[in-house]
Amino acid sequence: MDINSTTGPLAEITADWLIVGHFTVDSSNPLPAPLAELDAALDGTITRLAASGDLTGKLAASHLLADVPGLAANRLLLVGLGQADELDSRRLEKALVAATRRASKSASVSAAIALPELGSESIGDSEAASLAAMALQVGCVGQALYHTDPSRYAFSAASVHSPADDAVVRGSVLGEAINLTRELVNRGPMDVYPESFADRAAAAAAEFGLDCEVLDENRLQEERMGSLLAVARGSVKPPRVVVLRHNGGPEGAPALAIVGKGVTFDSGGLSLKTSEGMKTMKCDMAGAATMLGAMTAIARLSLPVNVIGLAGLVENMPDADAFKLGDVLTARNGTTIEVLNTDAEGRLVLADVLAYAVDLKAERLIDLATLTGACVVALGEEVTGVFSNCPEWSQALEQAARQAGELAWPMPMHDLFGDLIKSDVADIKNVGPRWGGSVTAAKFLERFVDKTPWVHLDIAGPSFASSNKPHREGGATGCMVRTLVAAAESLA
Ligand code: BES
Ligand code: MN
Ligand code: ZN
């Protein structure tokens, strides 16, 4: 879906839905900017709504006026942005996605968004235009991918009332990238398995101009990825590793590698999960899907950096040949691993792919993984855990997240946590004690990144939402796509 930028009087915008954001309305003061303009075209309707207390401007509250004489648009949806001095990108996103979700419930409708001049310190007008375009993309796509009668429809045409064309394109590209990530995560494991994920990645690469290489099981043997291959043994679906490249920087310039956990279904393997624990485990490839979404945006925005995207794709199942407790694996970098829980499989997959990224001479690493329930216990369902071997690179990622309007928080990485995964029979074991589980998992990964500056993002909580909210659909969220793009931009 393309999104245009428009200018001119609001009353002349033709659309089925004209979404107009406005700050808090206070009946003792004059109407704020975009409302005053509309009020004149609408013969004082908005003044009357404000006086009666029907129009408040509370954050994300919306008020629908249909079939209004004086407006070219069929419907006017007034959406509250709260207090002007409190607005930031997260609040604006909440209000705008709530509005686009409301408008996207029927087929073949067009939508336009207009915002007041913000005059805000924490968010500029072009960033706001960008968010509006993103909201138009994200709000009209839901998780009901398999409904025979769709409950949400892409807009037939969409526009943002802003002179900032580039910002609108950027927001639209980010929105589509987020939707690609969401779609892959929301599809069931019968549709999304290592080979089909790799095919989809190859198709996206061809569409957006990324180089793509897919390593099959024979190649993975040759590359000595014994740890990843062990996880794959319990499934009839063969594993894959996808390697995408965006060569936007000078040839030979240092590259950023983004590595995603792509467990297309996590049954736990022989350390079988409960039915309840398995219900959402189609989401266990969210790291890989986030990498793919971000790589498409990085390519479409032609960022002047070299970025390698890698996905470690396996299905974790308990078939007859499944890897077992007590098995000792040799990972690509020679580290031996005692398997004591086959449900701690994500780290086994990432171990080999991280080592491969190091061998590709990546100068900086980011990995994303739905790695541990413990991280959700620690930080809740909306905050990403940040683990790193390099304070400067960790801070760069935290800054990228802030800039992208996403929530991330640093976690400790003291050596004492590394001691907890020492094994009596191998170099390390794949689980530590219960306490500090997200950190021991990160210490495990650290063994495979050599000295490369590396940040691990545990997205087990924020990548998948348990319920629908007015301002965001349940299911896959596409979290961290924007943070990855901002992180790549920070290296340009
Ligand atoms: N994929 C899960 C982690 C997970 C849990 C993701 C909840 C999303 C929501 C991971 O493979 C896993 O099973 N981790 C175990 C580790 C344990 C066996 C050390 C966990 O968190 O319980
Ligand atoms: Mn698991
Ligand atoms: Zn898992």
Side-chain angles (χ1 to χ4, degrees), residues 220-233:
L220 296 175
Q221 288 284 358
E222 279 169 33
E223 297 290 350
R224 307 181 319 283
M225 298 209 196
S227 179
L228 179 150
L229 284 162
V231 178
R233 273 176 46 174

Side-chain angles (χ1 to χ4, degrees), residues 261 263 266 284 343 345-346 370:
K261 170 179 173 182
V263 175
D266 182 12
D284 215 17
D343 197 12
E345 84 298 340
T370 46

